């Protein structure tokens, strides 16, 4: 079975949105009297907003009656920042052209809301490359559960074993591997030396570092 599909995570991988999510998250927790450090923030990247709020509310023992409103406000603050301030990550245009030239099917599978995915697609001007995009927003499970990746593969009508995923977070990498997909990890500088990325099939510092030789290693014919 030959690999012919590539699925990209979005936040932190295609667009430099993690500083926006970090700023929004710190602002929300600050309202309850807690100062989240950058180191702490990067331990929970890749989670959906709901799980992110639940995790830190439990950690700081904040009353969960505030969770729903905090999640809504977190999404609003982060979305506004991303739309107005976030820039493409290095190599986005390169990697999309690379896979289009190889006739790969291209998609996005993100923990972010559908509306934000669509806004980022428009901001990056990558809509013509994509066959589909999937959001974990309304799913029962978010990453590290593989549901969003499996749903994306279903939308594309491909076997998960035919897919390569690109992820920047440990949470997303686990989701991709649990879906039985090849995973290329492209960690943010703050997490590049996290030993857990050793579970990925390949670790690179930038999308620009991916090339023909690395693709050949990942796309060797495999049997089911």
């Amino acid at each position: 079975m030959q690999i012919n599909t590539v699925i990209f995570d979005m936040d932190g991988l295609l667009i430099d949105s993690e500083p926006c999510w970090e700023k929004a998250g710190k602002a929300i927790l600050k309202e309850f009297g807690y100062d989240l450090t950058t180191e702490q923030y990067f331990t929970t990247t890749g989670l959906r907003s709901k799980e992110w709020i639940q995790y830190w509310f439990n950690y700081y023992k904040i009353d969960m009656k505030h969770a729903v409103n905090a999640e809504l406000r977190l999404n609003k603050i982060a979305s506004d920042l991303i739309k107005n301030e976030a820039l493409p990550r290095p190599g986005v245009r390169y990697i999309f052209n690379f896979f289009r030239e190889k006739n790969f099917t291209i998609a996005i599978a993100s923990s972010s809301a559908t509306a934000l995915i669509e806004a980022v697609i428009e901001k990056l001007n990558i809509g013509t490359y994509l066959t589909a995009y999937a959001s974990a927003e309304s799913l029962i499970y978010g990453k590290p559960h593989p549901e969003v990746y499996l749903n994306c593969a279903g939308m594309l009508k491909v076997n998960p074993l035919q897919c390569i995923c690109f992820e920047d977070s440990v949470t997303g990498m686990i989701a991709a591997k649990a879906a039985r997909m090849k995973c290329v990890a492209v960690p943010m500088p703050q997490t590049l030396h996290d030993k857990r990325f050793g579970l990925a099939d390949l670790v690179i510092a930038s999308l620009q570092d991916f090339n023909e030789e690395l693709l050949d290693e990942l796309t060797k014919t495999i049997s089911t």
Side-chain angles (χ1 to χ4, degrees), residues 3-65:
I3 294 176
N4 57 16
T5 301
V6 60
I7 304 175
F8 293 97
D9 174 50
M10 187 181 77
D11 288 296
L13 179 80
L14 301 181
I15 190 164
D16 191 16
S17 54
E18 290 301 345
C20 301
W21 284 107
E22 181 183 0
K23 188 183 296 185
K26 286 182 175 180
I28 295 297
L29 292 177
K30 182 69 173 179
E31 293 174 1
F32 294 94
Y34 298 100
D35 293 309
L36 189 72
T37 68
T38 295
E39 184 179 7
Q40 285 176 307
Y41 171 78
F42 276 100
T43 65
T44 50
T45 55
L47 295 180
R48 293 182 295 185
S49 298
K50 180 178 181 179
E51 282 97 3
W52 193 93
I53 289 291
Q54 288 175 341
Y55 180 92
W56 289 112
F57 271 38
N58 281 323
Y59 182 87
Y60 287 117
K61 296 180 172 54
I62 301 170
D63 194 328
M64 282 296 175
K65 71 181 182 182

Side-chain angles (χ1 to χ4, degrees), residues 84-119:
N84 295 323
E85 299 180 10
L87 298 175
R89 296 287 297 161
V92 170
R93 188 66 55 182
Y94 161 77
I95 200 70
F96 274 80
N97 283 327
F98 179 92
F99 280 107
R100 181 159 68 178
E101 290 171 1
K102 306 297 180 187
N103 294 315
F104 268 58
T105 299
I106 303 173
I108 288 174
S110 173
S111 295
S112 289
T114 299
L116 182 55
I117 295 173
E118 292 172 347

Side-chain angles (χ1 to χ4, degrees), residues 101-166:
E101 290 171 1
K102 306 297 180 187
N103 294 315
F104 268 58
T105 299
I106 303 173
I108 288 174
S110 173
S111 295
S112 289
T114 299
L116 182 55
I117 295 173
E118 292 172 347
V120 170
I121 289 172
E122 181 177 359
K123 185 181 179 76
L124 299 181
N125 193 25
I126 55 175
T128 58
Y129 294 89
L130 299 171
T131 299
Y133 52 89
S135 167
E137 176 186 21
S138 300
L139 300 182
I140 296 175
Y141 303 106
K143 299 175 184 178
H145 193 280
E147 187 174 9
V148 67
Y149 277 119
L150 295 175
N151 279 8
C152 192
M155 294 166 66
L156 299 172
K157 295 181 171 56
V158 297
N159 189 304
L161 295 174
Q162 294 176 278
C163 302
I164 298 173
C165 295
F166 281 73

Side-chain angles (χ1 to χ4, degrees), residues 140-215:
I140 296 175
Y141 303 106
K143 299 175 184 178
H145 193 280
E147 187 174 9
V148 67
Y149 277 119
L150 295 175
N151 279 8
C152 192
M155 294 166 66
L156 299 172
K157 295 181 171 56
V158 297
N159 189 304
L161 295 174
Q162 294 176 278
C163 302
I164 298 173
C165 295
F166 281 73
E167 272 283 357
D168 69 295
S169 70
V170 170
T171 299
M173 174 198 67
I174 293 171
K177 294 301 295 179
R180 298 187 302 155
M181 299 177 178
K182 296 285 188 179
C183 183
V184 179
V186 193
M188 296 288 289
Q190 296 91 336
T191 60
L192 183 59
H193 300 295
D194 191 325
K195 293 181 180 179
R196 292 175 295 174
F197 282 115
L199 295 173
D201 296 281
L202 175 68
V203 181
I204 55 178
S206 168
L207 293 171
Q208 297 175 124
D209 295 335
F210 195 78
N211 56 35
E212 190 89 30
E213 182 180 353
L214 296 177
L215 177 64

